[in-house]
Amino acid sequence: MSINSVSTTGQLPVVVIGAGPVGLAAAAHLVERGIEPLVLEAGPSAGTAVRDWAHVRLFSPWSEITDPAAEKLLAPTGWTRPDGSAYPTGGDWAERYLQPLADVLGDKVRYGATVAGVARAGRDRIVDSGRDEQPFTVHIALADGREERISARAVIDASGTWSTPGPLGADGLPALGEKSATSRISYRVPDLGDPAVRARYAGKRTAVVGSGASAFTALACLADLAEDEPGTHAVWMLRRGITGSTFGGGEADQLPARGALGLRAKAAVEAGHASAATGFRTQAVERDGDRLVLVDEDGRRLDPVDEVIVLTGLRPDLSFLSEIRLGLDDRLQAPTALAPLIDPNVHSCGTVYPHGVNELSHPEQGLYLAGMKSYGRAPTFLAMTGYEQVRSITAALAGDHEAAERVELTLPETGVCGGAGLFEEPENAEQAAGGCCSAPSALQIGIDTPATSPGGC
């Protein structure tokens, strides 16, 4: 074990957890501000999580998924941004932007470094005395089995939520029998370009659980497969009924590719390649020979399926922050000041006030959650929201409070509005017509992140 120590906290690096889009953008902004970053990435390359869905096409174009400070770092290398109107796949994003950016940062990015814990030096979460004057210690586990402790002046956790997908159970816990049926359950959009994956779903009956853009993607992919492979059918498991907003904003969506994705899912149902099981809240998974039977909380049983694709959202891993004092909303696990602005219990259209360091701060000074992780369990997020977050955070770390509090972001509308975004249908026509979007012009609109809700197969 080695201990990296520097004489004064001000000379220490800012540790950034995760070399994904937002983590690397944070590093670029820190460099621009003259602050030394150290990016810790658990995987072997930049954008490890993004590479997991390399086959999926984003519904955001290149013009919306590169960060301005990052582009400035890349420009001297001869890098040019791809056509801003084109829609990359996850693989494109990683290879043509994220990895080149990480390469420019050089030894400011460490791979194979898994963060196992973050704390104040010499202080567990109970101790008050001298707490704010102490640097952070970041405990890391290396790929070769060694451990290290790194001292940091501040920590930006941009590790995302990709590693912790939501379970099948409607109560937020794994359904009874879910863990023992994992060989038949996937928590990702399938890559049907892979022959082994294609064979897994071809000619099979597959349950798709979830109601977001990732579920739309899976339904569209399985519908395409059904055109070529007779017997392929998807059963779409919905906790609510089908309404006008079930398939997203369609042509009203200011991100056309996302609107088109919902329409593809709708077409899959109308063409008979997918059927819907509405009002179904899964409680158990039972075996029926080689097939699975899903059982809802009222005892209703779905006809047997061969496979299950669970796309019920993602959640933050907070385990390595157990010795840090976080201020989190008790529903969303998002920062307390941010949560009311993104709570799907209140609205489902993604109306989000401009936010930055003030909404992202915690009782533990100098510790920030950024990117997808800052939204906790909320489903509405966009890459450029994360870029704006880290611009504000790094300005605050540099002492430029005017820039930190200035919001420099306008986001496109989803075209879908309504309240009670998680459970029951809106109670009245005014709410269903989009009461939450009838907001003052100061509101900005947040949308699904391309990292978790992309379109394509």
Side-chain angles (χ1 to χ4, degrees):
M1 177 181 296
S2 66
I3 300 177
N4 176 17
S5 61
V6 182
S7 58
T8 63
T9 300
Q11 296 175 308
L12 296 172
V14 172
V15 164
V16 179
I17 305 175
V22 176
L24 292 173
H29 281 276
L30 289 166
V31 169
E32 187 174 53
R33 290 279 183 175
I35 300 172
E36 183 70 14
L38 178 59
V39 182
L40 301 176
E41 167 57 45
S45 59
T48 298
V50 174
R51 294 173 191 272
D52 274 355
W53 50 271
H55 60 291
V56 181
R57 191 167 300 281
L58 281 72
F59 52 60
S60 293
W62 274 111
S63 62
E64 297 178 358
I65 61 170
T66 59
D67 174 79
E71 290 189 21
K72 290 179 184 178
L73 273 185
L74 284 164
T77 69
W79 180 89
T80 56
R81 186 173 69 184
D83 178 4
S85 64
Y87 294 86
T89 63
D92 295 333
W93 201 15
E95 291 298 331
R96 300 178 65 184
Y97 170 67
L98 299 177
Q99 193 60 58
L101 177 55
D103 292 344
V104 169
L105 290 165
D107 59 8
K108 294 177 174 60
V109 180
R110 291 187 64 180
Y111 301 111
T114 301
V115 175
V118 180
R120 288 285 188 180
R123 309 288 192 275
D124 62 23
R125 68 182 297 159
I126 298 174
V127 178
D128 289 334
S129 179
R131 186 175 193 86
D132 290 344
E133 288 72 44
Q134 295 300 310
F136 290 95
T137 57
V138 181
H139 296 222
I140 62 174
L142 303 177
D144 61 7
R146 293 181 297 118
E147 297 176 329
E148 289 187 16
R149 293 182 185 176
I150 297 171
S151 295
R153 60 178 286 191
V155 176
I156 300 173
D157 182 357
S159 58
T161 56
W162 182 252
S163 64
T164 47
L168 175 59
D171 58 5
L173 298 173
L176 294 175
E178 180 175 349
K179 292 182 179 179
S180 63
T182 53
S183 64
R184 298 281 184 174
I185 300 176
S186 170
Y187 299 86
R188 309 298 188 200
V189 174
D191 179 5
L192 298 182
D194 182 326
V197 176
R198 185 180 180 87
R200 176 175 178 174
Y201 297 101
K204 305 291 180 61
R205 178 178 164 88
T206 300
V208 177
V209 186
S211 58
S214 292
F216 294 166
T217 302
L219 289 169
C221 291
L222 291 172
D224 289 345
L225 182 62
E227 296 282 355
D228 299 326
E229 299 286 350
T232 304
H233 188 78
V235 183
W236 190 15
M237 315 298 295
L238 289 164
R239 296 179 183 179
R240 298 192 292 171
I242 293 180
T243 68
S245 64
T246 297
F247 296 97
E251 294 179 359
D253 196 318
Q254 289 186 5
L255 284 177
R258 184 180 55 189
L261 179 59
L263 296 177
R264 285 184 66 198
K266 183 178 181 181
V269 174
E270 293 176 344
H273 297 313
S275 54
T278 59
F280 199 101
R281 302 176 186 277
T282 307
Q283 184 182 65
V285 182
E286 297 178 356
R287 292 276 186 176
D288 183 356
D290 291 334
R291 309 181 88 191
L292 301 178
V293 175
L294 304 188
V295 184
D296 82 355
E297 58 189 11
D298 296 323
R300 181 162 52 128
R301 299 164 64 85
L302 184 72
D303 288 342
V305 297
D306 301 288
E307 299 286 343
V308 180
I309 299 174
V310 181
L311 300 168
T312 56
L314 303 161
R315 54 186 61 177
D317 177 8
L318 301 169
S319 61
F320 59 85
L321 301 176
S322 62
E323 296 308 313
I324 291 296
R325 297 175 178 181
L326 297 176
L328 297 176
D329 177 75
D330 57 6
R331 296 179 299 279
L332 299 186
Q333 295 177 300
T336 305
L338 177 60
L341 311 180
I342 60 176
D343 188 350
N345 287 292
V346 178
H347 52 74
S348 59
C349 61
T351 327
V352 182
Y353 280 97
H355 67 278
V357 68
N358 292 335
E359 291 79 11
L360 298 171
S361 294
H362 294 272
E364 198 76 71
Q365 296 181 26
L367 186 286
Y368 303 96
L369 308 184
M372 274 296 297
K373 193 163 186 176
S374 72
Y375 269 40
R377 299 192 184 197
T380 52
F381 190 77
L382 187 67
M384 57 184 174
T385 300
Y387 298 158
E388 171 65 7
Q389 288 178 342
V390 295
R391 184 205 61 79
S392 176
I393 290 168
T394 55
L397 291 173
D400 187 349
H401 300 292
E402 188 277 331
E405 295 181 5
R406 183 177 65 246
V407 175
E408 302 176 354
L409 180 64
T410 301
L411 298 175
E413 296 186 20
T414 63
V416 181
C417 300
L422 290 181
F423 202 83
E424 302 299 340
E425 293 300 324
E427 296 180 357
N428 56 65
E430 180 182 358
Q431 191 176 20
C436 74
C437 287
S438 302
S441 59
L443 290 178
Q444 307 297 308
I445 308 299
I447 65 174
D448 295 331
T449 174
T452 60
S453 303
C457 296

